[in-house]
């Protein structure tokens, strides 16, 4: 499993944990001494944060769980940001305007808009989460890097 899929599962699990923990803490604190307004507000915010994470990840759950992916192919440019943390590689499709970002670093000879590559990016069917990518030489079609 790659980092992107693990990140997706971490977001989904984090949402579930926030919801369950906020509900359990509410009932536990309410029974003992009563609950203060500030504590109640924090629990509501934690529950809303968890609901937001689940709301964001749930539409793609069936695609990730059943490995039902779509692949976008075409000419792209590769940008690598060495200053960001975590390091990311960004793939821009020139014709369609699609943009994909991965927690990875492809060891290519050159980066930037002047160097075209052929990219195959696999995403969930709704294009919400990136799964993996392959970068090919534009002229020869030779595989240069794969994140699988």
């Amino acid at each position: 499993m790659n980092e992107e899929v693990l990140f997706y599962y971490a977001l989904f699990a984090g949402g579930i944990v926030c919801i369950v923990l906020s509900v359990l803490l509410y009932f536990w604190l309410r029974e003992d001494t009563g609950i203060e307004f500030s504590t109640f507000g924090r629990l509501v915010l934690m529950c809303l944060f968890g609901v937001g994470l689940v709301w964001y990840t749930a539409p793609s759950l069936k695609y990730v769980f059943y490995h039902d992916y779509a692949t976008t192919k075409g000419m792209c440019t590769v940008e690598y940001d060495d200053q960001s943390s975590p390091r990311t590689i960004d793939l821009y499709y020139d014709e369609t305007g699609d943009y994909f970002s991965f927690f990875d670093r492809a060891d290519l000879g050159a980066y930037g808009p002047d160097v075209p590559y052929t990219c195959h990016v696999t995403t969930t069917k709704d294009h919400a989460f990136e799964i993996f990518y392959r970068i090919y030489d534009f002229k020869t079609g030779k595989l240069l890097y794969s994140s699988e």
Side-chain angles (χ1 to χ4, degrees), residues 92-105:
Y92 298 97
Y93 282 87
D94 300 329
E95 292 121 18
T96 61
D98 289 333
Y99 162 78
F100 301 102
S101 183
F102 291 90
F103 302 125
D104 197 6
R105 183 179 198 295

Side-chain angles (χ1 to χ4, degrees), residues 4 71-81 87-108 110-113 115-123 127 130-136 143-148:
E4 280 73 22
T71 302
T72 305
K73 300 175 183 178
M75 188 176 82
C76 70
T77 57
V78 178
E79 296 284 332
Y80 176 69
D81 188 6
R87 294 182 192 175
T88 59
I89 189 166
D90 302 324
L91 306 175
Y92 298 97
Y93 282 87
D94 300 329
E95 292 121 18
T96 61
D98 289 333
Y99 162 78
F100 301 102
S101 183
F102 291 90
F103 302 125
D104 197 6
R105 183 179 198 295
D107 294 325
L108 303 173
Y111 299 99
V115 184
Y117 293 101
T118 301
C119 299
H120 296 188
V121 176
T122 302
T123 63
H127 294 277
E130 296 89 359
I131 306 300
F132 60 86
Y133 66 95
R134 292 184 193 117
I135 299 175
Y136 297 89
L143 179 65
L144 299 175
Y145 188 81
S146 176
S147 68
E148 293 182 274

Side-chain angles (χ1 to χ4, degrees), residues 28-88:
W28 181 61
L29 291 174
R30 189 186 69 158
E31 288 180 359
D32 287 345
T33 60
I35 192 166
E36 295 179 11
F37 183 73
S38 63
T39 306
F40 178 75
R42 289 183 188 129
L43 291 176
V44 167
L45 286 176
M46 185 166 74
C47 185
L48 287 175
F49 180 71
V51 168
L53 286 177
V54 170
W55 187 278
Y56 178 66
T57 56
S60 300
L61 181 62
K62 67 180 177 180
Y63 302 127
V64 173
F65 187 74
Y66 291 116
H67 303 284
D68 192 12
Y69 303 139
T71 302
T72 305
K73 300 175 183 178
M75 188 176 82
C76 70
T77 57
V78 178
E79 296 284 332
Y80 176 69
D81 188 6
D82 202 15
Q83 303 298 323
S84 69
S85 178
R87 294 182 192 175
T88 59

